[in-house]
Amino acid sequence: MKADRHSLQLATALVGRLDRSEGHTVEGFEHLDAISIEQLLRLIWFLGGYGMQSTSKAQKIAGLASMNVAIRVTGEAAHALSEWPNNFHCLLRRIMAERALLGSGNSLALCFGRFYQTLYNAFPEPEFNFLRQSFEAYVSDHWEGQLAERNRRLSKRMRVQHDWVPTKNAARALAVRASMVREFVERGLLVGRLQKTAKGRVMGAISKSSLENLLSDKLHWVTLKTVRTKYGISRRTGHALIEEEVLKPISGPSVDGRQVWLFDDRDLEKLDLSQIGKSCLRKLSTGKVSSHA
């Protein structure tokens, strides 16, 4: 079996560690300079195994003592370690895609399987910082799930900066029920990723940036009573204006079934008082006024 260029480069890195006097830096594999031969062999087994099969038993490689299998494992590891971190990220993408077919849910551990646990438990040395940092960079860019405090394997910076938060945290921040957060997602007021479990429970994560935007918007939410006070209109007139869509609620009986009408006061500033008066008179003349409270 003929070895490819990346496999030969990795083999050169291994040989270099057997004879320290000649150095062991290999072009394209500089990120491996700090690790020892024992650490490199562990890394080859780890990445090579997952390169061959992305299952929970990826490191239980049958026939590893044979030359052909050993060459294949080394080749898979060499590919993942070359053009760093692009090819490593390709491996992570493949693992995520294959795990998704199994229904990985909203858990990072389920999404990456044992790869995630092994990465942090078997490679804790500072020499493998490059490996963990590249993994976290990929998660930051591609993981649209929540990261809770229990994900302590990840760096604190990663957990704080991650753009997705649990639905219950978003509900707490907005001072609403989790069901309303899901409604906000369905209406496009929040960006979220919702999943239904086998037991019918809805779980998900909310984009932190979209949550911050909605929290900013929420500062401008006012009730119908505030609108009536601002424009000096009666309750009956207010409902008439809602029916004519002069006043456009963001929440209320006709929007999401909530009892209290809510409006964005920035939209109120755009209203023409004369338009309000004329619309009100037209609506009142018909005698058709909403019965909502």
Side-chain angles (χ1 to χ4, degrees), residues 195-245:
Q195 290 185 333
K196 183 174 288 188
T197 67
K199 295 183 178 180
R201 182 184 176 190
V202 179
M203 300 180 64
I206 305 300
S207 166
K208 188 186 297 184
S209 55
S210 75
L211 174 60
E212 291 171 351
N213 290 337
L214 187 58
L215 283 170
S216 177
D217 289 342
K218 193 169 183 278
L219 296 175
H220 297 276
W221 292 359
V222 293
T223 64
L224 180 57
K225 183 178 180 180
T226 301
V227 176
R228 288 169 45 209
T229 301
K230 181 179 179 68
Y231 291 103
I233 58 178
S234 67
R235 179 178 179 181
R236 189 175 182 220
T237 301
H239 285 299
L241 294 172
I242 293 173
E243 288 195 4
E244 283 209 351
E245 298 185 352

Side-chain angles (χ1 to χ4, degrees), residues 37-170:
I37 187 169
E38 182 274 331
Q39 291 172 324
L40 182 54
L41 288 172
R42 273 194 285 138
L43 185 59
I44 291 173
W45 190 342
F46 175 55
L47 296 180
Y50 275 95
M52 291 176 62
Q53 55 180 1
S54 302
T55 68
S56 60
K57 299 180 180 180
Q59 292 191 274
K60 294 183 178 180
I61 306 170
L64 185 58
S66 72
M67 181 64 71
N68 286 342
V69 174
I71 290 176
R72 186 182 171 193
V73 170
T74 303
E76 292 291 347
H79 179 74
L81 290 168
S82 64
E83 299 178 26
W84 190 264
N86 296 337
N87 287 344
F88 177 59
H89 287 176
C90 286
L91 174 62
L92 297 178
R93 189 178 304 115
R94 198 188 82 205
I95 294 173
M96 280 188 69
E98 293 180 4
R99 296 287 302 178
L101 296 176
L102 302 176
S104 57
N106 197 42
S107 164
L108 192 63
L110 289 175
C111 182
F112 288 99
R114 288 190 179 180
F115 183 95
Y116 172 56
Q117 179 180 358
T118 304
L119 174 66
Y120 284 88
N121 290 350
F123 301 93
E125 303 96 317
E127 289 86 354
F128 289 110
N129 283 343
F130 76 94
L131 186 66
R132 293 186 294 272
Q133 289 168 1
S134 294
F135 174 77
E136 294 186 4
Y138 181 85
V139 170
S140 178
D141 290 340
H142 300 280
W143 171 247
E144 295 182 350
Q146 64 189 39
L147 289 182
E149 284 300 311
R150 63 177 177 271
N151 295 109
R152 294 190 180 278
R153 293 189 181 96
L154 300 174
S155 66
K156 184 176 181 180
R157 178 183 177 185
M158 169 69 188
R159 284 179 278 137
V160 170
Q161 293 183 348
H162 188 60
D163 190 49
W164 297 84
V165 297
T167 303
K168 64 179 182 180
N169 290 20

Side-chain angles (χ1 to χ4, degrees), residues 236 239-240 243-244 282-291:
R236 189 175 182 220
H239 285 299
E243 288 195 4
E244 283 209 351
R282 286 197 301 270
K283 196 65 184 178
L284 290 177
S285 66
T286 66
K288 299 178 181 179
V289 180
S290 170
S291 61

